[in-house]
Amino acid sequence: MSIKEAFEKLIGALGNLLGQVKLPEHFHLHFSFLSNNKVEYNKTENKLIIDYSKLNTKQKLVTTEVIKELLEGDYVVFEEGANKIVEDIQKKDAEFRKIGFFKDKLSPSDYAALEASVYIQSVFEEGKDISKFKLQLIERFGSRGNTICNLYGTGYFHNLIRPLYDQLAVESDFVNIEDFRKIFDKLIEEFPFAIFVNRAMGVNDITTEIENKIHKNKKYGIRTLNIHGINTTNVKNIRDTIGQLEEEGKIRIKSVVEKHKVILVSIEITPP
């Protein structure tokens, strides 16, 4: 791709934000994830300003591709720190591609909340304050959006929800999206009071996690707890654990949904 082609591709992708722009051979690219709140070409200062958070998924992909191309030549003057920002963009871009798997599997609103969650998580990992972004998320998507953000931040999408869908696909030629969304709704409903059992946890680990959660929940007067897990080993370990805890009188099993090597358990914490 020639430098002219790279510029044309970038301007073409951002056209609805920039309008008609004729760029010179050399210019400054300014990147901002938070502060500028705009995408524009400043003709006086010869700067193309791109607030990455204002781009849609396609524009992000094109921008990242073009930036990588420009970095290999001497056509653009990058300000100090631009290389690190480009690396950050590429990292975010990879994560956006991963969650793209869910685009036709979640409702448009849920998927938009998931996209926002990727951005919020990246800001959190940079050690920056995310409170205003979480507030904006809640204002737009309500408590459901906040839960989706928390599900993403705790690894549920990659460690439970994606494997769940893959398991459904293995066991059937056709995955009923409505059935999948019902399970997703259940995860959202139960998540605030849930434990996710991962592959590294044995029966002792699960028991300790549940007992710690029971102790914490009792302090706040919460009498319910949900346990989620996937794969044959985790399902067995969860069943063994809750069976033992019920025998000891610490819990009462309210419901167990087990399907496609996924288990969703709801328990009631017995009074002291």
Side-chain angles (χ1 to χ4, degrees), residues 152-164:
Y152 176 79
T154 51
Y156 259 60
F157 276 91
H158 297 321
N159 296 324
L160 178 66
I161 300 171
R162 173 65 190 266
L164 165 62

PDB file of all heavy atoms in Angstrom, residues 152-164:
ATOM      1  N   TYR A 152     -17.766  -9.011  31.469  1.00  0.00           N
ATOM      2  CA  TYR A 152     -16.591  -8.943  30.601  1.00  0.00           C
ATOM      3  C   TYR A 152     -15.324  -8.774  31.428  1.00  0.00           C
ATOM      4  O   TYR A 152     -14.314  -9.453  31.200  1.00  0.00           O
ATOM      5  CB  TYR A 152     -16.728  -7.790  29.603  1.00  0.00           C
ATOM      6  CG  TYR A 152     -15.492  -7.631  28.758  1.00  0.00           C
ATOM      7  CD1 TYR A 152     -15.247  -8.469  27.676  1.00  0.00           C
ATOM      8  CD2 TYR A 152     -14.531  -6.669  29.076  1.00  0.00           C
ATOM      9  CE1 TYR A 152     -14.095  -8.357  26.922  1.00  0.00           C
ATOM     10  CE2 TYR A 152     -13.376  -6.546  28.324  1.00  0.00           C
ATOM     11  CZ  TYR A 152     -13.167  -7.389  27.250  1.00  0.00           C
ATOM     12  OH  TYR A 152     -12.006  -7.274  26.514  1.00  0.00           O
ATOM     13  N   GLY A 153     -15.367  -7.885  32.403  1.00  0.00           N
ATOM     14  CA  GLY A 153     -14.182  -7.588  33.205  1.00  0.00           C
ATOM     15  C   GLY A 153     -13.708  -8.769  34.034  1.00  0.00           C
ATOM     16  O   GLY A 153     -12.522  -8.869  34.355  1.00  0.00           O
ATOM     17  N   THR A 154     -14.617  -9.687  34.379  1.00  0.00           N
ATOM     18  CA  THR A 154     -14.236 -10.856  35.174  1.00  0.00           C
ATOM     19  C   THR A 154     -14.004 -12.099  34.315  1.00  0.00           C
ATOM     20  O   THR A 154     -13.844 -13.196  34.860  1.00  0.00           O
ATOM     21  CB  THR A 154     -15.311 -11.173  36.229  1.00  0.00           C
ATOM     22  OG1 THR A 154     -16.593 -11.242  35.597  1.00  0.00           O
ATOM     23  CG2 THR A 154     -15.348 -10.109  37.306  1.00  0.00           C
ATOM     24  N   GLY A 155     -13.987 -11.915  33.002  1.00  0.00           N
ATOM     25  CA  GLY A 155     -13.607 -13.019  32.114  1.00  0.00           C
ATOM     26  C   GLY A 155     -14.726 -13.955  31.713  1.00  0.00           C
ATOM     27  O   GLY A 155     -14.489 -14.986  31.083  1.00  0.00           O
ATOM     28  N   TYR A 156     -15.964 -13.624  32.056  1.00  0.00           N
ATOM     29  CA  TYR A 156     -17.078 -14.528  31.746  1.00  0.00           C
ATOM     30  C   TYR A 156     -17.244 -14.770  30.248  1.00  0.00           C
ATOM     31  O   TYR A 156     -17.566 -15.885  29.821  1.00  0.00           O
ATOM     32  CB  TYR A 156     -18.378 -13.949  32.298  1.00  0.00           C
ATOM     33  CG  TYR A 156     -18.833 -14.585  33.601  1.00  0.00           C
ATOM     34  CD1 TYR A 156     -18.042 -14.540  34.747  1.00  0.00           C
ATOM     35  CD2 TYR A 156     -20.060 -15.224  33.690  1.00  0.00           C
ATOM     36  CE1 TYR A 156     -18.456 -15.102  35.932  1.00  0.00           C
ATOM     37  CE2 TYR A 156     -20.488 -15.793  34.882  1.00  0.00           C
ATOM     38  CZ  TYR A 156     -19.678 -15.732  36.001  1.00  0.00           C
ATOM     39  OH  TYR A 156     -20.093 -16.305  37.175  1.00  0.00           O
ATOM     40  N   PHE A 157     -17.074 -13.727  29.440  1.00  0.00           N
ATOM     41  CA  PHE A 157     -17.330 -13.888  28.007  1.00  0.00           C
ATOM     42  C   PHE A 157     -16.365 -14.877  27.365  1.00  0.00           C
ATOM     43  O   PHE A 157     -16.760 -15.698  26.537  1.00  0.00           O
ATOM     44  CB  PHE A 157     -17.273 -12.530  27.291  1.00  0.00           C
ATOM     45  CG  PHE A 157     -18.565 -11.784  27.379  1.00  0.00           C
ATOM     46  CD1 PHE A 157     -18.801 -10.905  28.420  1.00  0.00           C
ATOM     47  CD2 PHE A 157     -19.566 -11.977  26.437  1.00  0.00           C
ATOM     48  CE1 PHE A 157     -20.012 -10.228  28.526  1.00  0.00           C
ATOM     49  CE2 PHE A 157     -20.775 -11.309  26.524  1.00  0.00           C
ATOM     50  CZ  PHE A 157     -20.998 -10.431  27.572  1.00  0.00           C
ATOM     51  N   HIS A 158     -15.101 -14.816  27.751  1.00  0.00           N
ATOM     52  CA  HIS A 158     -14.111 -15.715  27.156  1.00  0.00           C
ATOM     53  C   HIS A 158     -14.068 -17.072  27.851  1.00  0.00           C
ATOM     54  O   HIS A 158     -13.775 -18.086  27.209  1.00  0.00           O
ATOM     55  CB  HIS A 158     -12.726 -15.068  27.191  1.00  0.00           C
ATOM     56  CG  HIS A 158     -12.639 -13.806  26.380  1.00  0.00           C
ATOM     57  ND1 HIS A 158     -13.265 -13.660  25.165  1.00  0.00           N
ATOM     58  CD2 HIS A 158     -12.005 -12.624  26.616  1.00  0.00           C
ATOM     59  CE1 HIS A 158     -13.022 -12.455  24.680  1.00  0.00           C
ATOM     60  NE2 HIS A 158     -12.267 -11.802  25.547  1.00  0.00           N
ATOM     61  N   ASN A 159     -14.343 -17.099  29.150  1.00  0.00           N
ATOM     62  CA  ASN A 159     -14.160 -18.328  29.922  1.00  0.00           C
ATOM     63  C   ASN A 159     -15.424 -19.149  30.132  1.00  0.00           C
ATOM     64  O   ASN A 159     -15.335 -20.330  30.464  1.00  0.00           O
ATOM     65  CB  ASN A 159     -13.558 -17.995  31.291  1.00  0.00           C
ATOM     66  CG  ASN A 159     -12.172 -17.393  31.177  1.00  0.00           C
ATOM     67  OD1 ASN A 159     -11.396 -17.780  30.311  1.00  0.00           O
ATOM     68  ND2 ASN A 159     -11.873 -16.424  32.024  1.00  0.00           N
ATOM     69  N   LEU A 160     -16.588 -18.534  29.961  1.00  0.00           N
ATOM     70  CA  LEU A 160     -17.825 -19.285  30.161  1.00  0.00           C
ATOM     71  C   LEU A 160     -18.792 -19.144  28.989  1.00  0.00           C
ATOM     72  O   LEU A 160     -19.258 -20.143  28.437  1.00  0.00           O
ATOM     73  CB  LEU A 160     -18.520 -18.827  31.450  1.00  0.00           C
ATOM     74  CG  LEU A 160     -19.862 -19.514  31.749  1.00  0.00           C
ATOM     75  CD1 LEU A 160     -19.660 -20.996  32.041  1.00  0.00           C
ATOM     76  CD2 LEU A 160     -20.586 -18.857  32.914  1.00  0.00           C
ATOM     77  N   ILE A 161     -19.070 -17.925  28.570  1.00  0.00           N
ATOM     78  CA  ILE A 161     -20.120 -17.707  27.576  1.00  0.00           C
ATOM     79  C   ILE A 161     -19.702 -18.210  26.192  1.00  0.00           C
ATOM     80  O   ILE A 161     -20.479 -18.887  25.507  1.00  0.00           O
ATOM     81  CB  ILE A 161     -20.523 -16.212  27.532  1.00  0.00           C
ATOM     82  CG1 ILE A 161     -21.035 -15.796  28.917  1.00  0.00           C
ATOM     83  CG2 ILE A 161     -21.593 -15.975  26.486  1.00  0.00           C
ATOM     84  CD1 ILE A 161     -21.273 -14.313  29.084  1.00  0.00           C
ATOM     85  N   ARG A 162     -18.465 -17.900  25.773  1.00  0.00           N
ATOM     86  CA  ARG A 162     -18.001 -18.423  24.481  1.00  0.00           C
ATOM     87  C   ARG A 162     -17.895 -19.956  24.501  1.00  0.00           C
ATOM     88  O   ARG A 162     -18.401 -20.623  23.578  1.00  0.00           O
ATOM     89  CB  ARG A 162     -16.651 -17.784  24.115  1.00  0.00           C
ATOM     90  CG  ARG A 162     -15.978 -18.375  22.862  1.00  0.00           C
ATOM     91  CD  ARG A 162     -16.779 -18.108  21.603  1.00  0.00           C
ATOM     92  NE  ARG A 162     -16.267 -18.856  20.468  1.00  0.00           N
ATOM     93  CZ  ARG A 162     -15.386 -18.383  19.584  1.00  0.00           C
ATOM     94  NH1 ARG A 162     -14.894 -17.153  19.731  1.00  0.00           N
ATOM     95  NH2 ARG A 162     -14.990 -19.111  18.560  1.00  0.00           N
ATOM     96  N   PRO A 163     -17.280 -20.577  25.524  1.00  0.00           N
ATOM     97  CA  PRO A 163     -17.268 -22.045  25.578  1.00  0.00           C
ATOM     98  C   PRO A 163     -18.667 -22.652  25.610  1.00  0.00           C
ATOM     99  O   PRO A 163     -18.897 -23.721  25.054  1.00  0.00           O
ATOM    100  CB  PRO A 163     -16.502 -22.348  26.869  1.00  0.00           C
ATOM    101  CG  PRO A 163     -15.632 -21.165  27.079  1.00  0.00           C
ATOM    102  CD  PRO A 163     -16.447 -19.999  26.593  1.00  0.00           C
ATOM    103  N   LEU A 164     -19.596 -21.969  26.271  1.00  0.00           N
ATOM    104  CA  LEU A 164     -20.976 -22.448  26.317  1.00  0.00           C
ATOM    105  C   LEU A 164     -21.551 -22.510  24.910  1.00  0.00           C
ATOM    106  O   LEU A 164     -22.142 -23.520  24.503  1.00  0.00           O
ATOM    107  CB  LEU A 164     -21.816 -21.529  27.195  1.00  0.00           C
ATOM    108  CG  LEU A 164     -23.336 -21.656  27.078  1.00  0.00           C
ATOM    109  CD1 LEU A 164     -23.777 -23.046  27.502  1.00  0.00           C
ATOM    110  CD2 LEU A 164     -24.040 -20.602  27.911  1.00  0.00           C
TER     111      LEU A 164
END
